[in-house]
Amino acid sequence: MSTAPPPTHSPGPARAAALTAAVCLLVAGCSALGGDEDGSAAGAAGGSGGDRMKIVMVTHGGEGDAFWDRVRKGAEAAAAKDGVDLTYAGDADTADQADLVRDAIRDKADGIAVTLAKPQAMKAPVAEAKAAGIPVVGLNSGIDAWRSTGLLEYFGQDESVAGRAVGDKLDDLRAKHALCVIHERGNVALEARCAGVKKTFGGETEMLYVEGTDMKAVGAAVTARLRQDPSIDEVVMNGAAFALTAVEAVDEAGSDAHVATFDLDNDLVAAVKRGDVQFAVDQQPYLQGYLAVDALWLYRTNGNVSGGGVAPVLTGPAFVTRTNADSVAEFAAGGTR
């Protein structure tokens, strides 16, 4: 789930170039690849003509987004370990994301990892990949839809569980009125988070929908709502960059509200240490990227299926607070947390 504003819709030619231009990680040394569909050595190259295994990761993240940089770093680390060629591409537009998956199918990828921010848009391309004999795993978004979409495995955070945990924590902090800010309408992960908060939080929870592609507009909307209702004492954001904007909005509004957030980066960890942000929920995006690539390699070389194909592999939630932020800061500074 993106933590910074997604880019504006790119035209068809730009989308078509995205996968071609994406960096392939070429790693020295090859694993013993091969293998048929049940993991034997003969078919693991899956149409790559006996060359190195090719894995493609397609996300809904925008270019230069710190959150997705962490996902990509994890994916690249797994590719380096496994000796596979990795192509990473992302597009916030669901139609373009689906087309990137179809590009990977035409390129005869040996495995594809996808996000399901809007699952319905990915059903057809996932089915096309399966028909072509290409295993597809999910990560980050769509935990409630990965099986019905036809994915082999899933790696990520249960956003509803994370939201409910935040609601419980707000009760512990004696909050009374929470504003949960959703920066992309229809994104199933963001909606599930705020719904989870509302389910367990004993106080009042209200949703505020904002345009996440315009950070100034996000700040202005939060400021305006805080001025309208001084009873709001907690602002819950859905990304590190959005949380830092909310801190400024609280100051601008002259509000006494606290800020909490899902997801983190280096700047957000520093804000938690300063006390500007009460806490962050870490879903470990680096781990999501790593596990997705490694799972495809394991499936093609050894027939392994994490979770038995019926249960997701959870990477969160974990709370980062002022008391434990120092233990995370080093990794955040290195771009892996």
Side-chain angles (χ1 to χ4, degrees), residues 58-126:
V58 179
T59 76
H60 64 279
E63 185 71 25
D65 185 317
F67 180 91
W68 294 105
D69 286 346
R70 284 160 170 73
V71 172
R72 183 172 181 167
K73 279 188 177 183
E76 289 175 345
K81 177 184 74 71
D82 296 335
V84 305
D85 293 344
L86 172 70
T87 300
Y88 177 95
D91 200 306
D93 182 87
T94 53
D96 287 346
Q97 187 188 2
D99 284 343
L100 287 169
V101 174
R102 293 186 173 99
D103 287 343
I105 297 168
R106 283 190 290 270
D107 198 38
K108 298 183 179 178
D110 300 305
I112 301 172
V114 300
T115 60
L116 300 177
K118 296 178 181 176
Q120 191 61 37
M122 299 304 293
K123 277 192 173 183
V126 168

Side-chain angles (χ1 to χ4, degrees), residues 1 67 138-146 154-167 187-197 199-200 238 262-263 281-284 288 310-319:
M1 201 197 49
F67 180 91
L139 69 150
N140 179 260
S141 297
I143 194 169
D144 293 327
W146 69 276
Y154 180 87
F155 305 91
Q157 175 174 266
D158 187 321
E159 304 295 3
S160 180
V161 170
R164 294 197 297 271
V166 169
N187 184 311
V188 294
L190 305 185
E191 300 278 359
R193 288 174 173 181
C194 288
V197 173
K199 186 171 184 177
T200 58
N238 276 290
F262 294 87
D263 302 333
V281 180
D282 183 16
Q283 63 172 303
Q284 302 188 96
Q288 293 173 6
V310 296
V313 177
L314 299 183
T315 62
F319 284 100

Side-chain angles (χ1 to χ4, degrees), residues 121-275:
M122 299 304 293
K123 277 192 173 183
V126 168
E128 291 166 25
K130 290 179 66 179
I134 302 172
V136 186
V137 303
L139 69 150
N140 179 260
S141 297
I143 194 169
D144 293 327
W146 69 276
R147 292 184 67 189
S148 61
T149 306
L151 301 186
L152 180 69
E153 304 165 75
Y154 180 87
F155 305 91
Q157 175 174 266
D158 187 321
E159 304 295 3
S160 180
V161 170
R164 294 197 297 271
V166 169
D168 288 337
K169 191 165 189 67
L170 294 183
D171 282 336
D172 292 341
L173 293 169
R174 301 179 184 274
K176 301 298 182 185
H177 186 173
L179 182 71
C180 198
V181 181
I182 298 176
H183 60 262
E184 183 183 352
R185 188 180 292 271
N187 184 311
V188 294
L190 305 185
E191 300 278 359
R193 288 174 173 181
C194 288
V197 173
K198 186 172 184 177
K199 186 171 184 177
T200 58
F201 178 43
E204 180 182 354
T205 303
E206 67 171 280
M207 317 304 187
L208 177 66
Y209 289 87
V210 297
E211 181 50 66
T213 57
D214 186 342
M215 195 63 82
K216 288 184 179 180
V218 172
V222 173
T223 298
R225 187 69 192 103
L226 291 173
R227 285 175 174 167
Q228 290 167 358
D229 192 343
S231 73
I232 297 171
D233 56 3
E234 195 77 41
V235 179
V236 180
M237 304 302 289
N238 276 290
F242 295 104
L244 298 177
T245 295
V247 171
E248 296 176 358
V250 168
D251 290 342
E252 181 70 19
S255 170
D256 294 327
H258 299 286
V259 175
T261 190
F262 294 87
D263 302 333
L264 72 157
D265 61 17
N266 190 37
D267 292 337
L268 196 283
V269 171
V272 172
K273 291 175 67 175
R274 291 193 304 269

Side-chain angles (χ1 to χ4, degrees), residues 279-304:
F279 63 85
V281 180
D282 183 16
Q283 63 172 303
Q284 302 188 96
Y286 178 94
L287 185 60
Q288 293 173 6
Y290 186 99
L291 292 176
V293 170
D294 201 39
L296 286 166
W297 178 78
L298 284 167
Y299 177 72
R300 297 311 300 257
T301 59
N302 202 49
N304 298 118

